[in-house]
Amino acid sequence: IKFHVAIIPLLSYRLPIKIKAVLKEIIAAEDKNNPLGDLALMDALKERGYDVARRTIAKYREQMGIPVARLRK
């Protein structure tokens, strides 16, 4: 049990980093004339196995300095 307790904080620390990397990848590959909104990004992440709330996506996007969809055109 000690092993599992020790690894949980490590995983919770690395998961946002991985999600941000995948999010950046999705945004880089999007159609620049029709960029994805936060809900569409949420669906794209869910398809890749990451169940993340829209507000979390917005928070990560802002932390990475990526503007909202209408400003990415």
Side-chain angles (χ1 to χ4, degrees):
I1 290 187
K2 289 180 183 180
F3 174 75
H4 295 291
V5 173
I7 202 155
I8 290 171
L10 180 63
L11 292 176
S12 63
Y13 170 73
R14 289 186 174 178
L15 190 58
I17 295 169
K18 178 64 177 168
I19 292 171
K20 286 178 184 179
V22 173
L23 188 59
K24 192 172 188 176
E25 205 176 276
I26 293 168
I27 292 171
E30 73 186 357
D31 178 6
K32 301 306 176 194
N33 295 320
N34 190 19
L36 301 171
D38 291 341
L39 285 173
L41 291 170
M42 182 181 77
D43 291 338
L45 283 170
K46 193 172 284 191
E47 287 175 4
R48 294 178 184 214
Y50 300 99
D51 190 18
V52 183
R54 186 211 49 85
R55 64 182 177 269
T56 303
I57 291 171
K59 179 177 84 172
Y60 289 169
R61 183 181 43 70
E62 289 174 7
Q63 287 174 352
M64 294 186 299
I66 300 170
V68 295
R70 63 183 164 77
L71 297 177
R72 294 197 310 266
K73 287 187 177 187

